[in-house]
């Protein structure tokens, strides 16, 4: 009997030690994952701080094309921070489970659609710039015809904004509660990425359209439960666009130059100075549009590449994944 009790005591002690070791190991893993997520958020804050140091809009009446170009560069910075996070927690895409796969593909699909809308707006503004340049070319031989073109195109803005679909099927908190381990970390990081991506795209679209509606509508689609690093900037921009509108300083200056030249023609005044000023502003405006378009194209291409790599991984693993056909159809829409 004593021998039996002794054996039982040793067995119990062994099990207890195993439990404490497992519990301690689990606690260490949880802490390590949270530290990696904190590092990811610190990287985002660093990028935001650099952005604000380079172009601090607070106190300005209007935004500029170079400012939103700087905002656009936040997207690749955040993507780099996310890639670093995946390495830190040893969780590359090939190891992801269905929730992370679906979340990433859904987020990138909507970002790609927003980037398409931005490219369309840039194209429309490019056409306006070409029309104004054509008006300048007509000025010497046909001032009246030049005036006609100036009056038709005396307001630079992009039209036809299409509101994206609401992507929020469940809140971030509801989803996060159901996840654990590395899936939880990836989910929370993707919430941050979505919030910043939507914030940036909203700024670009409102700036290019010259009105607040795109920004206000797109921000509604970002997860409101996210503890986003852009909340402070978001509040400032919302106040700005709700109060004074969202006309870019570059566009205001260009419209003023157009109006000045049109007035000079109408009043029979000397036109060379006004024409030269418009020509100068069009050159600067065109270069800013080109730079912005290059940045948008780069982010679209790199996002689509990573998305396709994830889809290829899913297919190679031959996993029964219910959303694969849906995602394939979504991706096809981006090309046609």
């Amino acid at each position: 009997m004593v021998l039996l009790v002794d054996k039982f005591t040793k067995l119990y002690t062994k099990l207890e030690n195993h439990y404490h070791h497992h519990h301690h190991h689990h606690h260490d893993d949880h802490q390590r994952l949270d530290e990696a997520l904190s590092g990811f958020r610190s990287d985002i804050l660093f990028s935001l701080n650099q952005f604000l140091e380079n172009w601090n809009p607070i106190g300005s009446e209007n935004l500029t094309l170079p400012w939103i170009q700087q905002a656009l560069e936040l997207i690749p910075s955040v993507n780099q921070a996310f890639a670093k996070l995946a390495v830190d927690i040893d969780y590359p895409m090939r190891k992801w489970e269905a929730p992370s796969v679906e979340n990433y593909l859904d987020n990138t699909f909507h970002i790609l659609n927003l980037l398409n809308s931005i490219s369309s707006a840039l194209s429309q503004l490019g056409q306006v710039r070409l029309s104004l340049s054509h008006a300048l070319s007509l000025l010497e031989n046909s001032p009246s015809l030049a005036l006609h073109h100036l009056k038709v195109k005396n307001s630079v803005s992009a039209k036809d904004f299409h509101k994206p679909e609401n992507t929020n099927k469940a809140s971030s908190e509801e989803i996060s509660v159901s996840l654990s381990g590395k899936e939880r970390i990836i989910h929370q990081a993707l919430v941050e990425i979505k919030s910043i991506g939507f914030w940036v795209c909203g700024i670009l679209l409102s700036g290019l359209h010259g009105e607040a509606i795109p920004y206000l509508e797109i921000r509604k689609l970002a997860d409101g439960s996210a503890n986003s690093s852009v909340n402070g900037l978001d509040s400032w921009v919302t106040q700005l666009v709700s109060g004074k509108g969202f006309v870019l300083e570059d566009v205001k200056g260009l419209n003023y130059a157009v109006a000045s030249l049109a007035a000079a023609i109408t009043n029979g005044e000397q036109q060379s100075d006004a024409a030269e000023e418009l020509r100068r502003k069009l050159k600067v405006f065109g270069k800013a549009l080109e730079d912005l378009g290059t940045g948008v194209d780069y982010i679209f291409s790199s996002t689509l590449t990573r998305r396709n790599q994830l889809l290829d991984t899913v297919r190679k693993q031959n996993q029964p994944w219910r959303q694969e056909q849906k995602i394939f159809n979504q991706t096809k829409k981006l090309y046609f």
Side-chain angles (χ1 to χ4, degrees):
M1 183 69 178
V2 175
L3 185 60
L4 183 61
V5 171
D6 185 53
K7 287 184 178 179
F8 177 78
T9 301
K10 289 180 180 179
L11 177 61
Y12 178 81
T13 302
K14 184 178 180 181
L15 290 173
E16 188 178 42
N17 289 337
H18 175 75
Y19 168 78
H20 285 300
H21 174 75
H22 176 76
H23 180 74
H24 181 71
H25 181 70
H26 176 75
H27 175 75
D28 287 346
D29 283 348
H30 187 85
Q31 184 177 0
R32 181 173 59 84
L33 292 175
D34 284 343
E35 287 174 353
L37 182 61
S38 295
F40 165 76
R41 287 172 171 158
S42 295
D43 290 340
I44 292 177
L45 282 173
F46 178 78
S47 296
L48 284 171
N49 286 335
Q50 281 195 318
F51 164 63
L52 289 175
E53 286 176 5
N54 292 333
W55 290 95
N56 188 346
I58 298 175
S60 303
E61 292 187 359
N62 295 95
L63 305 183
T64 65
L65 280 172
W67 191 86
I68 62 175
Q69 168 75 28
Q70 291 284 335
L72 181 67
E73 292 173 5
L74 286 171
I75 294 180
S77 295
V78 169
N79 288 337
Q80 289 175 6
F82 181 71
K84 178 177 177 294
L85 172 66
V87 171
D88 289 344
I89 65 174
D90 188 25
Y91 204 47
M93 284 182 170
R94 68 178 182 275
K95 295 183 180 180
W96 287 5
E97 297 179 11
S100 289
V101 172
E102 293 179 11
N103 195 359
Y104 183 86
L105 290 175
D106 188 61
N107 282 5
T108 52
F109 171 72
H110 291 287
I111 287 293
L112 289 171
N113 271 329
L114 289 172
L115 291 171
N116 267 336
S117 297
I118 292 169
S119 292
S120 177
L122 286 170
S123 177
Q124 291 177 57
L125 286 174
Q127 291 299 318
V128 171
R129 186 185 66 83
L130 287 175
S131 180
L132 292 174
S133 296
H134 180 59
L136 284 173
S137 70
L138 297 171
L139 187 60
E140 183 176 353
N141 296 324
S142 182
S144 60
L145 190 55
L147 180 62
H148 171 73
H149 279 271
L150 290 173
K151 286 185 174 181
V152 170
K153 295 294 184 181
N154 66 353
S155 180
V156 182
S157 64
K159 302 299 181 185
D160 304 321
F161 167 70
H162 298 290
K163 177 182 174 182
E165 298 177 3
N166 192 331
T167 63
N168 289 334
K169 299 174 184 177
S171 74
S172 169
E173 292 176 349
E174 290 173 339
I175 297 174
S176 188
V177 167
S178 66
L179 300 174
S180 61
K182 296 177 181 180
E183 282 289 299
R184 174 180 62 88
I185 299 301
I186 291 295
H187 167 74
Q188 292 181 1
L190 287 175
V191 168
E192 293 280 351
I193 291 174
K194 177 181 178 181
S195 182
I196 292 176
F198 275 43
W199 182 78
V200 169
C201 289
I203 284 179
L204 264 70
L205 282 169
S206 269
L208 298 176
H209 282 253
E211 57 186 47
I213 291 175
Y215 178 80
L216 298 176
E217 291 294 335
I218 290 171
R219 287 304 295 144
K220 291 178 184 177
L221 304 182
D223 195 328
S225 63
N227 182 24
S228 175
S229 306
V230 300
N231 283 343
L233 282 172
D234 182 32
S235 299
W236 174 80
V237 174
T238 300
Q239 290 177 2
L240 174 70
V241 301
S242 299
K244 298 184 179 180
F246 215 130
V247 180
L248 292 171
E249 196 67 39
D250 317 70
V251 173
K252 287 181 65 178
L254 194 56
N255 285 337
Y256 181 81
V258 170
S260 297
L261 179 57
I265 297 172
T266 301
N267 298 329
E269 299 172 350
Q270 192 263 352
Q271 302 153 20
S272 58
D273 289 346
E276 183 59 32
E277 178 65 7
L278 177 57
R279 190 173 289 108
R280 184 185 69 81
K281 287 188 177 296
L282 282 173
K283 183 178 180 180
V284 173
F285 188 72
K287 179 64 167 60
L289 289 181
E290 181 181 350
D291 290 345
L292 194 55
T294 299
V296 170
D297 290 344
Y298 168 77
I299 294 173
F300 185 95
S301 176
S302 58
T303 301
L304 190 60
T305 297
R306 289 193 303 273
R307 176 189 175 84
N308 288 339
Q309 287 173 345
L310 180 56
L311 280 171
D312 288 342
T313 299
V314 170
R315 293 193 181 104
K316 288 176 182 177
Q317 290 174 344
N318 294 319
Q319 294 179 358
W321 187 45
R322 60 184 176 83
Q323 292 237 10
E324 183 172 346
Q325 186 59 44
K326 171 190 170 185
I327 297 297
F328 172 77
N329 291 335
Q330 287 180 340
T331 304
K332 188 167 62 174
K333 291 178 185 177
L334 297 170
Y335 290 105
F336 301 103

